[in-house]
Structures are given as structure tokens and as C-alpha cells.
Amino acid sequence: MLTVSILAVALAAAGCSKNTGEDDGTGDQTEASTQTATLAENSDGPAPEVPGAKKGGTVTIYTSGDFEHLDPQQNYVVPAQTTGTNLLYRTLTQYRENGDGKLEVVGDLATNTGEESDGGKTWKYTLKDGLKYEDGTPITAQDVAYGIARSFSPDLPNGPHYAQQWLAGDADYNAKYKGPYDGGAQIPPNVEVPDAKTIIFKFPEPHADTPFLAAMTTVSPVPKAKDTKVQYDNRPFSSGPYKIKEYRRGQQMTLVRNENWDPKTDPIRHNYPDQYVINFTRSAEQASELLIADQGANQAALTMQDMTIPASVYPKAIADTSAKSRILTGPTQFVWLINFNTQRVKDLKVRQALNYAIDRQGMLKVWGSYAGDPGTTLLSPTTSGYQKYNAYDGGTNGNIEKAKELLGGKKLNLTYAYRNTERNQAIAAFLRSSFQQVGVNLNIQPVDEDQYYTVIGKKDNQFDMYMSGWGSDWPGGGTVIPPLWDGDRIVPEGNNNYSYLDDPKVNAEIDRILGLSDLTEADKAWAELDKDIMTRLAPAIPVIYDKQTTLYGSKIGGIYLSAPYGNSGLNNLYVK
């Protein structure tokens, strides 16, 4: 097995670009590539100073709706993840980056990226000295273990499931343990906490990529005394450089400095702004217009990944010299898919027909052609081992006749759920119009933005189709194919397998690949399984390889496109 000391793996390169020969008006064409992430030898703080940075001022962030979950153990959507990991809470490890293309995994709460033994089954982490919560109480290894224990609770079903499954040695991680509530143990299975500074994971199987798992919000510490269970979404207790001053759900959140955060313990974060104001009330169009105008408080504002410049505003943005220079753009690791709920859309020919019928170029025009590229695979081109293919090549605008042939003259009524935002409203209307040409009537139904993934993650949801975006949690296909397509991982709620695909051959191949010690061999196998899933089962329609295209104000400094999160990095921001 490749040992962690020499682990180097491919990760989405947000900052690398090369000319594609096509100009969309920005003059800055990018295409996805891969990048090497390494494990750092030095995890000491403080983080290097950002050139030109100074303290003071307020940064305003516009995001298209409230966070689905800010509770670290349920946090799994990019804007909330970035806010959480950059500003509010810390993890055992984290990514050190500043947009220069170099990416390292460093010890965050921990002194290093982990000490491996027993062939990769055992991992030991030692916490740094001087770690404190916002009230000045010490952060302990017991708190980290308790946070992980919470993630097992059926009351908190959303969020990543890697830690739970690895520790239980089973996709059904609740078979023997259901978290710390109702008399459950405060420390999860296969975790040892010999003292306040030490936490040890003893996995039933080897996991060479544990340093990447340790950067997930699942391993954020939660003090038991502050745990409000499902209400923790409303007020997570800060271990990071900022804390919540005010949170009015659906309206606004204000973050102020956490005076008990010690920069000497933190190798990645800063606390330059006096405060952050996160506004949930503006549409993408409204926020983009405010940032183009660049007046008053909006000079120190930015939009998040979910607020891509809309097609209605984009021409105005690139026609304005100042605004054009303030567009943060680059490929991300995300692929947007139209999922079929295979529990309901059982006919393979129907799923294949709509794969042939999809008009990717037309859809991109609605989405914003500057904000992505046509996608035909489950894995992003940023993924190590990626193989290009198109299992249902209907041309750039779809093959209506082939789709009709597969449907055999049948007329269908299908229900399509969409995230209730301007962009997704337009996409839903486009798909309804487009699929009418092949005899499929889409009944389109909105779902509140701050509930969307929770709703479609319920196994008994009543929708036939819906769109989702997924990017690798850390390098390689092992954080894409298993969570999205492993039928053994399907649970009543909190699913990431939104197609509810449960194919014995796919499940067995996932298990086989996860057991490979050669990561290069595994990368190739994930790409082959990607093609098999689409060719044999067609559980989704891949449509778009994502590209970040957002705006920021003229007084924002230290901004960059974060490779692990595909979003604006917040840890280096300052007000000029």
C-alpha cells in the first residue's frame, strides 16, 4: 500500500488555465486540469500574512438562500462548507492554499496530518496546545470524538458519511451504534481518546486517505454542553476565527471576531475583517447588479458559488471594464446531473431516451455558457483517471428522433423537482419545453432552496427527476462514485445516491475498488465504472462541468478560487 508519507494525489486545479481557442467574452478561457496535493511537514501557525492585508472593515457575502445546514456534522453544501471551515470551526486537518496552485493538507487542530500504523488501519492525532472555543474553554479530543459521535445519530442524517462507514466497517453504520443521544456512548466505535490531547482511529480496513477525511466538517469538535441536537444548525459553537453574533434564518447572519481564537495555532486562517455580514435575501441578478455598480458597502462584498452571474446580467458585467476585472472564474470539480429517481423511473429505455434528447448547448445558454462546459460523464475532468466518453451521443442539441424511437410512441408524465432559484426556475422551464418534443410532459415543482438536498435525499421522495451538483470531497473517484451510486449506502434519509441506484454489480465493483491499495489502479477503475454505470443503467443525465463565475467588489483583497471547495476562499479576505 502507498504510505501516507509519500501520498500525492490529483485534485481539481482551480487556478490553472489553458487557451481553448473559444472566446466567450471574458478573454480568460480555462479548462479543467488536475493538480497535486501533498501532505505538509509543517503545520505550525500563524498563517503567512497576506501581502497588503490590514485589519478592519465589514465584508458582505451574498448567497442565494439560507444555509441548509451550518451544523458541522450535517454541513455538506459548498457555501455553508466554505463559511464553516474558513470562518467558524476547525477540523483535525485542513487545506492550505492561496490561489497560487500549490495545495497542501496541514494539521489544523492537530499537530500534523496524522500518524499511521497497522498498515493504514490505525491513525493517531495529537491536538495542539492553546486551542480554545469562543468562551475560552479548551478544545479537547473528547469534543472531536463527540462531534463524530453526533454524526451517527439518525436525528442528524445529512452531511458526509465517510467517517461513520469507515469506523463501523459497514455502509449500515447504525446497525450497532446510533450516536450519543438516548443513552448512547459519547465516543463512537473504533475511536479511542486516551487523554484530552489524543484521538485514535482504529478502522476495520486500511484507509490511506484519512488525512483528507480529517479535513471534513464531520470531525469538527462539539462540546457536549453546547449541543442542541437538531437546533445546533442555528448556533454552532465557534472554534475558528469568527463567531456568530446574530443569525436570523432566511435573512442575515453576522459574524464577529472570536477573541479566544489564537492565530499561533492556526496555519491557514486570518481574521482581518471586523465582521462578516452574510445576506440571504438577494437574488443572483440583484447581487450581481450591486457588485457591478460597486458603490458603498458593496465595494467590500462578494457572491458565493451558488450566485454565478446570471445570463441576464453577464453581458453588462463584461462590458464594464471594472466589473470584468472583478470576476472570479475558473473550473471546479463539480458535475451537474439530472438524476432519475430509479425507484420511480424504472424503464431503462425512458432514461436512455432522455439522455439522447438532452439539448446541452441550449441548456448551457440558459445556465450561462460562460459558467460551464457540456458534461457527458459522472466524473469531472478534474478527477484523476478521468476518461472522456459520451454513452448517448445526441449531438450538441440532442437527438429527438432517437429518443422517440426508444420511447416507442409512449407519452409520459414525469415530475421534476427544482431548487427554487432564478437559474433553476429557468432550467426547469427549459427542460419542460425541450422534453415535450419527445412526448414527455414534465410537471415542474419548486422546493425551497434551504431544504432542497434534504428533500431529494429522502428515499421516499415523490419526484421522478431533479438536478444535483457533486464534486469530489478529496482527490480521486472514491469520493464521487461510492457516495453517489452505491446501493448498499441507501438509507431512509440523508442520501447522496439521489438516483437510488441499487445495482448488485455496481455495488460489488465499488467494494472491490475501495479495497485496492494502488491509487493509480483505483483511479482507472473508477473511470471504467463511471462508463459502465451510464452505458448499462443510465441513472442520470450528466449535463454540465461546472465553472465558477462570480463577482466581488473593488475593496475586496485576498480573494482566490478555492480548489477543494470550488468556491471563493474566505480565509485570506481583507478590506482594502
Side-chain angles (χ1 to χ4, degrees):
M1 183 176 68
L2 186 64
T3 63
V4 73
S5 61
I6 58 170
L7 183 63
V9 284
L11 186 69
C16 297
S17 65
K18 55 177 81 166
N19 196 324
T20 64
E22 296 177 351
D23 187 2
D24 66 1
T26 65
D28 179 24
Q29 289 303 298
T30 56
E31 65 179 36
S33 56
T34 54
Q35 184 182 48
T36 298
T38 58
L39 302 184
E41 294 183 5
N42 186 347
S43 297
D44 296 338
E49 290 295 323
V50 178
K54 60 181 181 179
K55 290 212 169 188
T58 296
V59 169
T60 299
I61 298 174
Y62 292 112
T63 187
S64 59
D66 204 342
F67 301 132
E68 256 186 82
H69 297 287
L70 202 56
D71 179 330
Q73 275 72 46
Q74 296 213 83
N75 188 340
Y76 210 16
V77 180
V78 166
Q81 275 191 318
T82 312
T83 301
T85 57
N86 282 189
L87 303 177
L88 275 175
Y89 32 76
R90 299 175 66 177
T91 46
L92 286 176
T93 66
Q94 199 47 250
Y95 298 96
R96 179 160 57 199
E97 57 172 344
N98 59 17
D100 64 359
K102 297 177 181 178
L103 190 67
E104 293 180 304
V105 179
V106 298
D108 185 2
L109 292 173
T111 57
N112 56 32
T113 57
E115 298 172 30
E116 174 200 5
S117 60
D118 192 21
K121 293 183 180 180
T122 298
W123 288 83
K124 176 183 176 182
Y125 288 90
T126 303
L127 270 59
K128 296 172 181 174
D129 295 329
L131 300 170
K132 295 179 181 179
Y133 290 110
E134 62 179 82
D135 65 351
T137 57
I139 298 170
T140 68
Q142 286 87 350
D143 297 338
V144 177
Y146 183 77
I148 298 169
R150 297 177 77 247
S151 73
F152 279 81
S153 172
D155 294 335
L156 308 175
N158 301 287
H161 297 154
Y162 303 108
Q164 304 94 304
Q165 291 166 349
W166 291 10
L167 288 167
D170 194 332
D172 182 10
Y173 57 81
N174 278 152
K176 296 180 180 179
Y177 177 69
K178 295 185 178 180
Y181 308 139
D182 301 319
Q186 307 299 296
I187 295 177
N190 294 317
V191 174
E192 296 178 1
V193 186
D195 56 57
K197 297 286 292 294
T198 309
I199 184 168
I200 301 170
F201 301 103
K202 292 194 170 182
F203 301 115
E205 301 293 334
H207 290 287
D209 40 3
T210 296
F212 297 96
L213 169 71
M216 300 294 288
T217 59
T218 313
V219 299
S220 293
V222 175
K224 181 183 176 183
K226 298 295 182 180
D227 184 10
T228 54
K229 301 181 181 178
V230 296
Q231 297 302 318
Y232 200 65
D233 265 332
N234 299 321
R235 186 58 173 82
F237 203 56
S238 176
S239 53
Y242 290 86
K243 61 183 179 181
I244 297 174
K245 177 182 179 182
E246 179 187 42
Y247 189 6
R248 289 181 285 127
R249 294 303 298 256
Q251 299 294 313
Q252 185 169 291
M253 173 186 285
T254 302
L255 306 178
V256 295
R257 288 196 188 97
N258 170 12
E259 59 272 15
N260 284 298
W261 169 77
D262 185 353
K264 293 193 293 293
T265 70
D266 196 326
I268 62 171
R269 300 174 185 84
H270 297 282
N271 65 349
Y272 295 127
D274 292 334
Q275 62 178 4
Y276 284 83
V277 174
I278 304 173
N279 186 299
F280 305 118
T281 66
R282 299 289 189 181
S283 67
E285 186 173 73
Q286 291 170 336
S288 295
E289 289 280 10
L290 289 171
L291 289 167
I292 291 170
D294 196 40
Q295 298 294 315
N298 290 301
Q299 291 180 300
L302 65 146
T303 50
M304 285 280 217
Q305 175 238 32
D306 58 347
M307 296 279 268
T308 290
I309 307 169
S312 59
V313 179
Y314 187 73
K316 182 177 180 179
I318 62 171
D320 184 304
T321 304
S322 172
K324 183 178 177 181
S325 70
R326 295 183 279 106
I327 296 175
L328 183 66
T329 186
T332 78
Q333 71 271 47
F334 290 90
V335 177
W336 289 95
L337 309 166
I338 298 171
N339 297 89
F340 295 105
N341 184 338
T342 60
Q343 302 169 117
R344 296 168 60 88
V345 186
K346 298 180 179 181
D347 190 336
L348 174 61
K349 287 187 177 180
V350 170
R351 304 197 299 265
Q352 291 174 326
L354 294 186
N355 264 281
Y356 275 114
I358 192 71
D359 179 358
R360 288 184 175 85
Q361 287 294 347
M363 186 168 174
L364 260 177
K365 288 179 181 178
V366 178
W367 181 266
S369 57
Y370 48 86
D373 294 302
T376 61
T377 60
L378 303 176
L379 293 173
S380 163
T382 65
T383 310
S384 182
Y386 161 81
Q387 293 179 19
K388 183 178 181 180
Y389 72 90
N390 187 352
Y392 307 97
D393 191 352
T396 57
N397 298 108
N399 187 332
I400 301 301
E401 294 309 311
K402 180 66 175 177
K404 287 181 176 179
E405 178 187 331
L406 281 165
L407 290 175
K410 286 190 294 187
K411 304 295 182 182
L412 299 172
N413 292 301
L414 298 175
T415 301
Y416 177 84
Y418 65 92
R419 200 176 185 191
N420 197 11
T421 66
E422 287 174 293
R423 176 195 254 182
N424 286 289
Q425 289 166 8
I427 289 293
F430 172 80
L431 291 174
R432 181 172 59 183
S433 174
S434 182
F435 288 153
Q436 278 178 344
Q437 298 178 67
V438 298
V440 174
N441 176 55
L442 281 191
N443 173 24
I444 59 176
Q445 294 190 15
V447 177
D448 288 345
E449 185 178 12
D450 62 357
Q451 292 295 312
Y452 181 72
Y453 283 105
T454 299
V455 168
I456 68 172
K458 292 181 178 179
K459 186 176 185 293
D460 63 356
N461 79 71
Q462 299 302 300
F463 305 117
D464 299 308
M465 300 170 65
Y466 28 72
M467 193 170 178
S468 65
W470 189 272
S472 55
D473 287 308
W474 62 84
T479 63
V480 179
I481 301 297
L484 291 188
W485 310 111
D486 188 347
D488 290 337
R489 303 185 186 207
I490 295 174
V491 290
E493 54 185 318
N495 290 289
N496 305 130
N497 182 346
Y498 301 119
S499 290
Y500 299 95
L501 181 72
D502 189 3
D503 179 77
K505 182 180 177 182
V506 171
N507 300 347
E509 181 64 359
I510 286 172
D511 290 341
R512 184 191 75 82
I513 300 170
L514 287 173
L516 295 175
S517 58
D518 185 326
L519 296 182
T520 301
E521 182 184 352
D523 287 338
K524 181 180 178 182
W526 290 127
E528 290 171 351
L529 183 54
D530 171 350
K531 188 174 182 179
D532 173 65
I533 291 170
M534 279 304 301
T535 303
R536 190 166 55 85
L537 301 165
I541 308 172
V543 284
I544 293 169
Y545 300 136
D546 185 70
K547 183 179 177 182
Q548 166 90 331
T549 313
T550 56
L551 278 161
Y552 59 94
S554 61
K555 290 188 177 180
I556 287 286
I559 196 168
Y560 65 94
L561 180 54
S562 172
Y565 297 104
N567 194 22
S568 312
L570 306 179
N571 56 305
N572 287 345
L573 291 188
Y574 66 92
V575 179
K576 295 179 181 178

